[in-house]
Amino acid sequence: MKKKFSYHFPGIVAYFFVLLFVYAALSKLLDFEAFQVQLAQSPLLSAYAGFISYAVIIVELIIAALLCINSTRLLGLYASFGLMVSFTVYIYLILNFSDFVPCSCGGILEKLGWTEHMIFNVACIALALGAIIILERQRGTNRQRYLILSGTIGVISCGLVIFLFIRSEHIMKTENNFTRRFLQYPMEEDKKMDLGANSYYFAGADDDKIYLGNYTTPLILTTIDTALVTRTSFTSVIDSHNHSFRSIQMQVQKPYYYIYDGNVPVIYRGELGKQNAKTISYKDAYFNQIIPLDSTRFAIRTQSSETQNRVLGILDLQLKSKVKLYSDVLEKQKDGVFDSDGKMIHDPATGKILYTYFYRNQFMEMDHELNVLRKLHTIDTVTRAQIQVTQLKDGQHKMSAPPLTVNKDMVAYRKLLFNESNLMGKHESRKAWKQAAIVDVYRTDRQEYVGSFYVFNRGKDKMSHMLVTDKYFYILIGNEIVRYRLYPSLTRHFSTGKAENL
């Protein structure tokens, strides 16, 4: 009886693996998109999700075919042993060396947790090894030979998974081929406030207050406590109204607030809590973006009167020559106007200035003298602006076709760039893109992609503005301001460095 069972044992094990692999392969094929998305979120194999999604299915079906034929059954058992070792090492790395533990696989093992899954795999390895030993003995193979062969296959399987893990981590963070990795529990909504209008924007923040400007009532500054409980507003009184304003905006940098309209070369400054705002700059510079560096010094984006290209500059009200332009900071690709369009932002925790291009996968970090410290890139592959520009007879440049927008909006905090992307990555759900905005997070002090997260729409309303503090992520969406509590999967990436003295 014992000999009879021993004789049939390799065949029983072989057909067990046939059922396992065929079922697993068919389950993946029937929901192939979900399988690819799941692999893309794997903390070990994200960078190779496309290749591995096909390779695993093909290998499982080939092994199943080998196991069904007597002459190739031994080869199939060795292959089964190697594949199960690979799966087991993968789970071990997930449980012990991963930043987060993703969802388990689907199919027949869907209800198993990762630890139970690992125990199942170890049992399968034992079955495969036992079947190999019995079959090799039946064939009279030297014991040392098949043990060395089994050990070699095991080592190669382990090494292959470890190599993919190391390479995938490097590629995902520094050489990403546009595969997003969604952070596990980055934040959770915990508070909201109805503002009564959808025309607000973030004008600034400090330790316990958030400041909002309003496009439709541009001289009103609204202050909300960070707990989203109290709300106050006041209307600023500027000392001169005799200007043809087009778009007045506000920014707050404690203890002052600034009112400006770059189409009119004027800047007003007032003290927080006081209504009166005085003119501190007039006819010094036209600009289309501005960041207060201190009470009399500003980083600006303007247009060169000589080349008509967009340029960055410093407006220093204390100097005799108040404006200094830096024509070599923004990189021209086509026209020097639309191709270099982007958004200039300020990291309040470090004092650094960042500029992110709208139409290409690049951003850069600068100091308060506009010295470029580093040029970095986002994970998409659009390195050149895909725009069509026509130059009119009067010298003006106009878009002759809608551009491919890569980056929509961004905010920086503690050496992290939170970038709202406009492009779908590999292995992503179109349904999710219709229901949410996607924010990609990058280091600003080195080339590293941290991860991504969804900001879901509220009905038909989409996120319009965002703000980050030490504990919270705030958004403006529709008529509401919504607060999300940040969790360690994000906050652990915050730099603890203090802001520079500007």
Side-chain angles (χ1 to χ4, degrees):
M1 183 71 179
K2 184 178 179 181
K3 288 185 178 181
K4 188 174 181 181
F5 175 77
S6 178
Y7 178 79
H8 291 291
F9 182 75
I12 294 171
V13 172
Y15 284 112
F16 164 75
F17 280 120
V18 169
L19 290 173
L20 180 66
F21 292 149
V22 169
Y23 182 86
L26 290 178
S27 297
K28 296 178 181 75
L29 282 171
L30 290 174
D31 199 357
F32 187 68
E33 182 182 8
F35 174 54
Q36 281 194 318
V37 170
Q38 188 179 58
L39 278 180
Q41 297 313 304
S42 162
L44 305 188
L45 304 176
S46 306
Y48 301 100
F51 166 75
I52 291 177
S53 61
Y54 292 99
V56 168
I57 293 173
I58 293 171
V59 167
E60 286 177 337
L61 292 176
I62 289 175
I63 293 175
L66 292 174
L67 291 169
C68 290
I69 304 172
N70 286 331
S71 60
T72 59
R73 181 164 295 163
L74 182 59
L75 177 61
L77 287 171
Y78 274 115
S80 302
F81 171 74
L83 188 61
M84 296 310 298
V85 168
S86 297
F87 289 161
T88 305
V89 173
Y90 169 74
I91 295 173
Y92 178 81
L93 293 174
I94 286 281
L95 293 174
N96 293 277
F97 297 97
S98 170
D99 290 339
F100 63 90
V101 178
C103 297
S104 184
C105 65
I108 198 170
L109 305 178
E110 183 177 10
K111 301 302 181 182
L112 294 183
W114 283 102
T115 302
E116 292 81 3
H117 199 158
M118 187 172 181
I119 294 171
F120 176 83
N121 283 7
V122 170
C124 288
I125 291 173
L127 287 174
L129 189 58
I132 289 169
I133 292 172
I134 292 173
L135 200 55
E136 289 282 27
R137 284 178 177 176
Q138 290 175 356
R139 297 187 176 189
T141 307
N142 181 275
R143 179 182 178 184
Q144 187 176 6
R145 179 180 177 278
Y146 62 74
L147 290 179
I148 290 175
L149 181 58
S150 299
T152 301
I153 291 173
V155 169
I156 292 173
S157 299
C158 290
L160 180 61
V161 175
I162 293 172
F163 171 78
L164 289 176
F165 165 52
I166 295 172
R167 282 296 301 161
S168 181
E169 283 297 287
H170 176 73
I171 290 172
M172 287 298 296
K173 291 182 177 180
T174 63
E175 301 174 4
N176 196 294
N177 58 356
F178 209 9
T179 300
R180 284 192 172 90
R181 177 181 293 172
F182 288 92
L183 298 168
Q184 298 292 300
Y185 309 112
M187 61 187 188
E188 182 179 22
E189 180 184 334
D190 73 345
K191 204 74 179 289
K192 63 182 179 180
M193 175 186 281
D194 188 353
L195 300 174
N198 62 359
S199 52
Y200 287 95
Y201 61 89
F202 288 115
D206 56 33
D207 294 337
D208 56 357
K209 295 182 179 65
I210 297 169
Y211 302 98
L212 301 177
N214 194 313
Y215 293 117
T216 57
T217 53
L219 294 180
I220 294 180
L221 181 65
T222 299
T223 303
I224 300 175
D225 70 318
T226 53
L228 303 190
V229 174
T230 62
R231 170 183 170 188
T232 59
S233 299
F234 73 85
T235 301
S236 178
V237 179
I238 56 179
D239 61 4
S240 175
H241 293 265
N242 301 321
H243 303 299
S244 301
F245 294 120
R246 295 184 186 177
S247 178
I248 297 177
Q249 293 188 51
M250 283 189 177
Q251 279 195 56
V252 173
Q253 189 178 90
K254 200 174 180 181
Y256 301 109
Y257 64 90
Y258 300 87
I259 302 172
Y260 55 88
D261 181 345
N263 299 293
V264 178
V266 62
I267 303 173
Y268 305 91
R269 186 183 68 205
E271 291 187 41
L272 286 171
K274 297 182 180 179
Q275 287 184 289
N276 293 332
K278 297 181 179 180
T279 302
I280 60 171
S281 173
Y282 181 55
K283 292 186 177 180
D284 294 320
Y286 289 91
F287 53 87
N288 42 48
Q289 292 186 32
I290 188 169
I291 293 175
L293 301 177
D294 60 34
S295 61
T296 60
R297 198 163 177 274
F298 306 85
I300 61 172
R301 193 189 75 170
T302 185
Q303 198 158 2
S304 170
S305 59
E306 297 178 1
T307 64
Q308 301 303 310
N309 293 341
R310 295 188 194 275
V311 293
L312 300 186
I314 296 292
L315 171 61
D316 192 334
L317 304 181
Q318 301 285 358
L319 299 180
K320 185 176 181 180
S321 299
K322 296 181 180 180
V323 179
K324 185 176 181 180
L325 301 181
Y326 297 84
S327 58
D328 58 343
V329 176
L330 300 183
E331 296 181 358
K332 178 180 177 179
Q333 290 186 335
K334 291 187 177 182
D335 68 323
V337 180
F338 294 109
D339 63 353
S340 58
D341 197 7
K343 186 175 181 180
M344 182 172 61
I345 58 176
H346 181 242
D347 185 336
T350 65
K352 297 296 192 300
I353 300 167
L354 290 103
Y355 190 88
T356 306
Y357 294 99
F358 287 141
Y359 306 125
R360 49 178 132 148
N361 66 347
Q362 298 171 15
F363 65 97
M364 53 188 168
E365 182 187 52
M366 298 166 281
D367 63 18
H368 58 277
E369 298 292 343
L370 296 186
N371 296 309
V372 177
L373 303 177
R374 51 190 59 85
K375 296 179 181 180
L376 306 167
H377 59 81
T378 57
I379 59 174
D380 64 87
T381 56
V382 182
T383 58
R384 295 190 64 82
Q386 298 182 23
I387 59 174
Q388 296 180 32
V389 179
T390 300
Q391 185 172 357
L392 304 180
K393 292 181 180 180
D394 61 1
Q396 290 188 0
H397 293 254
K398 296 290 184 181
M399 288 272 199
S400 56
L404 175 66
T405 302
V406 175
N407 306 305
K408 294 177 66 176
D409 192 21
M410 57 288 306
V411 65
Y413 192 71
R414 291 199 180 279
K415 296 186 179 181
L416 292 184
L417 175 70
F418 294 76
N419 181 60
E420 183 186 355
S421 176
N422 197 49
L423 297 181
M424 184 183 296
K426 294 181 179 179
H427 320 304
E428 290 180 14
S429 168
R430 292 187 179 276
K431 182 180 178 181
W433 267 85
K434 293 178 180 179
Q435 297 174 342
I438 288 185
V439 177
D440 301 322
V441 185
Y442 304 91
R443 297 285 307 206
T444 62
D445 57 345
R446 61 177 180 265
Q447 182 61 59
E448 181 178 325
Y449 165 61
V450 173
S452 303
F453 60 87
Y454 290 110
V455 180
F456 286 94
N457 303 338
R458 302 174 81 86
K460 295 182 179 180
D461 295 323
K462 299 180 179 180
M463 176 180 72
S464 58
H465 299 277
M466 51 187 171
L467 176 74
V468 182
T469 65
D470 283 327
K471 296 181 180 179
Y472 301 109
F473 179 83
Y474 297 90
I475 67 167
L476 295 176
I477 183 167
N479 294 343
E480 295 179 321
I481 179 172
V482 182
R483 188 182 78 179
Y484 296 83
R485 181 178 295 277
L486 296 177
Y487 287 156
S489 60
L490 255 178
T491 56
R492 68 186 180 85
H493 295 283
F494 281 160
S495 166
T496 56
K498 296 182 179 179
E500 295 179 355
N501 293 321
L502 300 182

